[in-house]
Amino acid sequence: MSGELIAGRYELEELVGSGGMSGVYRAHDRLLERKVALKILHQRLVEDREHVERFRREARAVAQLAHPNIVTVIDRGEDDGRQFIVFEYIEGENLKQIVERRGPLPIDEVLELGIAVASGLAFAHERGVVHRDVKPQNVLLNGDGRAKVMDFGIARSLDVEKGVTQTGTVLGTSNYIAPEQASGQPVDDRSDVYSLGVLLFELLTGDIPFPGESFVAVAMQHINEPPPRVLDRRPDAPPPLAQLVARMLEKDHDYRPSMDEVVAE
C-alpha cells in the first residue's frame, strides 16, 4: 500500500495501526504539504452495509467534535469503493505505552491527563456522542504533552442509535468495559465514565483492576466483582481522587458521576 495515492491527494507512507474494522496509515497530504493519519475501512468489510454505515457515522460524529483534547477530523471520502477518514497526525506515544514504560504516574500528571481526557469526552457527550471504547491506547500525547482522545470507531450518537447495531452486540475492549456494556445492555455516557475510571486506576497504580486470560473472564469480573481500592495499591493518592475513581467504577451506572462532574471534581 505504501506509495499509493488515495483520492489523488493522500500518499500512503506506512501502516501505523490496525483494528477489526480498519487500518490507519501515516500519509502525506500533497495538497497542503503535511503529514496526516488516514483510516481506511478493511476491504473485506466494504460489501457489508452495516460496517460502511458505522464507519461513515464515525466520520460524521467526530467531524463535529472540535476540541483541543480530541483528534481532529480533516476529511472523509471514498476512493475506488474504499471508505476513508483523514485525521490530524499526532507524533507521540499513547497512554498505554507511557504506563508500560514508566509505571504508575505522578499524581499531578494523572490529574492533568484525567482532566484533559474527561474534558474531551464531556464535550462529545454534550453533542450526543458516546465513545464506547475509552482506553489508554486511544489517548495520544502530542509533542506538547497534550492528551488527545482518538478512535471514536464504535462511537454512537445518543439520538440515532436505533437499528444500526444489532442489540446485544458487545463492542469495546474487555479490560476497560463497563458492566452494562459487558452484559449487552444499552450503553450511554456513564459507560464512558466507567472506562475512564479504569484508565485512571491504571495511571495511578500501573495495573488494570481486573486482569484475566480471556474476554469473558475479564467481562464477568467487571459485571460481578468489586474493584480493588486505589489506596491499597497507591497509598499516596489523595483520598478525594481515590474516592472519585471508586464512584466512576460503580456497577450501577446511575450511581456514577457525569463526565462534567468528573472534570469539576
Side-chain angles (χ1 to χ4, degrees), residues 96-245:
K96 191 70 173 178
Q97 292 165 320
I98 287 167
V99 173
E100 284 174 349
R101 180 165 61 77
R102 293 174 52 195
L105 302 182
I107 298 296
D108 57 351
E109 206 171 324
V110 175
L111 288 169
E112 198 179 319
L113 290 168
I115 289 168
V117 175
S119 298
L121 291 169
F123 183 84
H125 292 169
E126 280 158 25
R127 278 142 193 83
V129 177
V130 181
H131 190 291
R132 299 166 65 88
D133 195 18
V134 175
K135 57 185 177 184
Q137 293 91 325
N138 280 339
V139 180
L140 290 170
L141 291 195
N142 69 6
D144 306 328
R146 173 181 281 167
K148 295 244 185 190
V149 182
M150 59 176 263
D151 210 359
F152 283 71
I154 53 177
R156 253 161 84 199
S157 163
L158 287 172
D159 308 326
V160 295
E161 58 183 32
K162 289 157 196 63
V164 188
T165 308
Q166 312 99 314
T167 44
T169 308
V170 175
L171 297 168
T173 307
S174 66
N175 286 336
Y176 305 92
I177 200 169
E180 63 274 13
Q181 200 170 2
S183 54
Q185 302 301 310
V187 166
D188 65 12
D189 52 329
R190 306 284 166 130
S191 311
D192 283 351
V193 170
Y194 183 94
S195 298
L196 181 58
V198 179
L199 189 157
L200 291 173
F201 184 97
E202 184 173 8
L203 296 185
L204 286 165
T205 68
D207 206 1
I208 49 175
F210 299 121
E213 293 302 305
S214 70
F215 185 100
V216 172
V218 173
M220 291 313 290
Q221 291 181 77
H222 282 293
I223 294 168
N224 299 315
E225 299 290 326
R229 282 162 34 93
V230 168
L231 288 172
D232 291 343
R233 307 269 184 98
R234 181 77 186 263
D236 69 325
L241 177 59
Q243 204 173 355
L244 174 62
V245 172

Side-chain angles (χ1 to χ4, degrees), residues 36-106:
V36 293
L38 198 78
K39 181 185 275 199
I40 302 178
L41 186 66
H42 289 319
Q43 195 61 43
R44 61 187 161 73
L45 300 176
V46 170
E47 304 303 314
D48 183 326
R49 279 196 15 226
E50 189 195 339
H51 278 102
V52 169
E53 182 47 42
R54 192 185 292 166
F55 195 77
R56 284 180 178 152
R57 193 171 65 246
E58 173 193 1
R60 283 197 299 270
V62 188
Q64 58 175 316
L65 302 179
H67 187 277
N69 299 113
I70 296 176
V71 172
T72 309
V73 170
I74 296 166
D75 190 13
R76 61 159 285 229
E78 193 176 312
D79 180 281
D80 200 17
R82 283 182 304 179
Q83 300 287 332
F84 67 86
I85 308 173
V86 185
F87 298 89
E88 65 174 317
Y89 181 73
I90 293 171
E91 193 97 56
E93 289 182 298
N94 66 45
L95 285 187
K96 191 70 173 178
Q97 292 165 320
I98 287 167
V99 173
E100 284 174 349
R101 180 165 61 77
R102 293 174 52 195
L105 302 182

